[in-house]
Amino acid sequence: MNVWIDQDLCTGDGLCEEICPPVFHLVDSLSYVIGPNGQPMMAGGPNSCAEIAPAMLDAVLDAAEECPGECIFIES
Ligand code: SF4
């Protein structure tokens, strides 16, 4: 499973980072997925898609469900 964020819809509330800080990180009030190198993938959008570690899957699903912008996308 992979996760990406549509930054155009992100409200910047930071809920995703609160729920799952190993996967989501806010920069200038927008959330980005953290890439394999441990840094947020600043290009954003569907091209900044990262594989979800199995141990993180429940938290990522929670974040997507709680996201007020409905902009966290999880794909197989
Ligand atoms: S929970 Fe959604 S809207 Fe809020 S900061 Fe994260 S991606 Fe953006």
Side-chain angles (χ1 to χ4, degrees):
M1 304 285 275
N2 298 298
V3 61
W4 63 276
I5 296 171
D6 184 344
Q7 281 77 18
D8 288 342
L9 301 175
C10 177
T11 69
D13 58 89
L15 215 53
C16 52
E17 189 178 19
E18 277 177 36
I19 293 171
C20 191
V23 172
F24 303 106
H25 186 69
L26 258 72
V27 179
D28 293 334
S29 298
L30 289 176
S31 184
Y32 294 86
V33 174
I34 295 173
N37 67 354
Q39 299 299 316
M41 295 189 288
M42 297 301 297
N47 292 329
S48 292
C49 192
E51 189 171 351
I52 306 168
M56 293 296 121
L57 185 56
D58 283 351
V60 171
L61 290 169
D62 278 354
E65 198 171 297
E66 298 295 329
C67 171
E70 299 184 358
C71 55
I72 297 174
F73 296 91
I74 296 165
E75 300 172 342
S76 54

